[in-house]
Amino acid sequence: RDDVVTGPDSARVGAMVGRAGNPAVIRGIDWFGLEAGISAGHGVWGRDGRAMMDDMKDLGFNLLRMPISGELVRENGGTPSGIDFALNPDLEGLNGLQILDAIVAYAERIGMRILLDYHRGPAGDGPNDNGLWYGQGFTEADVIETWRVLAERYGDSPAVIGADLVNEPHGGTWGDGSATDWAAAAERIGSAVQSFAPQWLIVVEGIGEYDGDP
């Protein structure tokens, strides 16, 4: 069957299709932590991360959305903390990007797919404080450079299928040509990502308010 995302896919109006042309069904779940100051997935302080991924698959999820920060990439993975190495001996000595490598590799092994998510510039929780894709020490060029690094690292992985360009750009505007025009920025960033990883699906999140409607 070709009812799940299995590799290079395409999108058409109203549907996403797999390589055989059949509808691709995505059942996704987030795994927070790599975008935060701990530079590791939440929960590995009390469980084996691979067992957590096995549970996700057993519950019917086939895609894992992995939030990262620009800082994680800029600082070459940061310094992970909050890991029980007795439960996760495979993570000992790894930086945050190497932990992401391990997650991607295990996803390949168990047949899960990965959607990478640029969650924020500086490490922390939630979207950028200003609700934009830039600010707090990170420019639009920095966002694109982060995606270039990630595409170089994971462009050949069968598990990684796409890029969620920027998480919750709720402070942006749409199509007004201003410095906060997320519609225009999403085209610029998305085109750059496709030049690095042409097979990836591009996800563009919406703004917080358009024409007075939240």
Side-chain angles (χ1 to χ4, degrees):
R1 293 178 56 184
D2 187 39
D3 59 352
V4 295
V5 178
T6 55
D9 287 72
S10 62
R12 61 190 180 205
V13 175
M16 190 155 52
V17 295
R19 282 183 289 189
N22 299 321
V25 178
I26 286 179
R27 302 180 185 91
I29 187 171
D30 278 289
W31 192 359
F32 291 105
L34 280 170
E35 85 288 2
I38 64 170
S39 300
H42 284 175
V44 292
W45 48 74
R47 289 199 63 196
D48 177 351
R50 289 171 297 190
M52 292 165 68
M53 292 177 68
D54 290 337
D55 284 348
M56 295 173 201
K57 184 171 183 183
D58 289 344
L59 287 167
F61 296 106
N62 61 10
L63 181 133
L64 183 54
R65 179 176 179 260
M66 291 302 305
I68 59 92
S69 68
E71 184 177 335
L72 183 83
V73 174
R74 177 186 284 179
E75 301 298 326
N76 196 32
T79 304
S81 61
I83 302 173
D84 186 328
F85 293 119
L87 297 172
N88 297 275
D90 57 310
L91 303 184
E92 191 161 8
L94 303 186
N95 64 39
L97 281 174
Q98 291 168 333
I99 289 174
L100 183 56
D101 292 343
I103 291 169
V104 168
Y106 195 66
E108 290 182 18
R109 179 174 162 185
I110 65 175
M112 286 191 75
R113 304 297 172 233
I114 301 285
L115 176 68
L116 297 172
D117 156 42
Y118 185 99
H119 211 68
R120 54 183 292 119
D125 300 320
N128 282 339
D129 292 345
N130 61 5
L132 299 173
W133 59 100
Y134 58 84
Q136 297 176 263
F138 291 82
T139 65
E140 181 176 309
D142 292 328
V143 176
I144 291 173
E145 174 61 12
T146 296
W147 281 119
R148 184 195 66 78
V149 172
L150 293 171
E152 278 193 1
R153 200 173 187 104
Y154 303 116
D156 293 331
S157 168
V160 180
I161 65 162
D164 187 345
L165 295 182
V166 171
N167 173 64
E168 297 178 36
H170 57 85
T173 54
W174 194 266
D176 64 358
S178 72
T180 60
D181 186 348
W182 170 236
E187 287 196 26
R188 293 190 299 268
I189 299 169
S191 294
V193 174
Q194 287 188 320
S195 74
F196 307 141
Q199 76 278 20
W200 281 3
L201 298 169
I202 302 297
V203 175
V204 179
E205 298 193 31
I207 59 176
E209 181 177 304
Y210 178 74
D211 235 7
D213 286 329

